[in-house]
Amino acid sequence: MAEIKFEAFVEAWTKNSDEHPAWGIKSAETHRKKNEEGTYETIGRTFRTVKVSRASGIDLSPFVKGDRVKVVGQESTETREYEGKKYYDLVVWAESVTASERGQSQAPTSQADTPYPATPPVAAVTDELPW
């Protein structure tokens, strides 16, 4: 097992259901790079199953598909076989799972919280050009 810290988006638990159990979530960590136009594009994703033990006291039920979470824990690879084919899953046994504030919109709650300066009164505006 290796210690890991990452931020990822919560994914649907199965293709038929977005809901997940209180002890586990599916996550997708995006990998992005800057392209020639100067914008960022997603070039890949790492999918992991995040699990918590009963003894941890962590409840994952508040998180829903699309939430961004920060995860700290121990990562391992689990192997399973189905119809003669081997499958490998990245599993993180989480020590902490918290909501990430990165990427969430922070809408102002009142006009006083607005980050823009107040509009000057009309009398203060002139038609004179500075050049």
Side-chain angles (χ1 to χ4, degrees):
M1 283 195 186
E3 186 172 329
I4 188 168
K5 297 177 185 179
F6 65 95
E7 282 190 39
F9 291 98
V10 175
E11 292 289 312
W13 183 249
T14 66
K15 65 181 179 182
N16 298 326
S17 173
D18 287 349
E19 292 186 31
H20 58 84
W23 53 264
I25 58 175
K26 300 279 186 173
S27 70
E29 177 187 16
T30 56
H31 305 286
R32 301 175 60 104
K33 79 172 192 178
K34 202 176 228 181
N35 62 19
E36 294 162 357
E37 291 86 35
T39 59
Y40 286 90
E41 64 180 312
T42 300
I43 57 168
R45 290 181 178 88
T46 301
F47 296 95
R48 295 181 176 94
T49 301
V50 178
K51 297 180 180 180
V52 294
S53 67
R54 288 183 182 169
S56 72
I58 300 171
D59 182 13
L60 299 177
S61 56
F63 301 111
V64 296
K65 181 179 176 182
D67 285 351
R68 190 176 197 138
V69 293
K70 291 180 186 179
V71 180
V72 177
Q74 299 292 319
E75 183 177 58
S76 64
T77 304
E78 290 184 359
T79 306
R80 60 186 171 86
E81 193 172 324
Y82 179 72
E83 295 181 352
K85 224 176 166 185
K86 280 193 174 183
Y87 294 90
Y88 300 92
D89 296 323
L90 288 176
V91 176
V92 177
W93 284 96
E95 297 162 6
S96 73
V97 179
T98 56
S100 173
E101 296 188 20
R102 185 174 149 200
Q104 295 179 354
S105 65
Q106 298 290 324
T109 55
S110 69
Q111 194 170 15
D113 293 338
T114 306
Y116 305 106
T119 306
V122 176
V125 178
T126 64
D127 287 336
E128 295 179 27
L129 299 173
W131 57 89

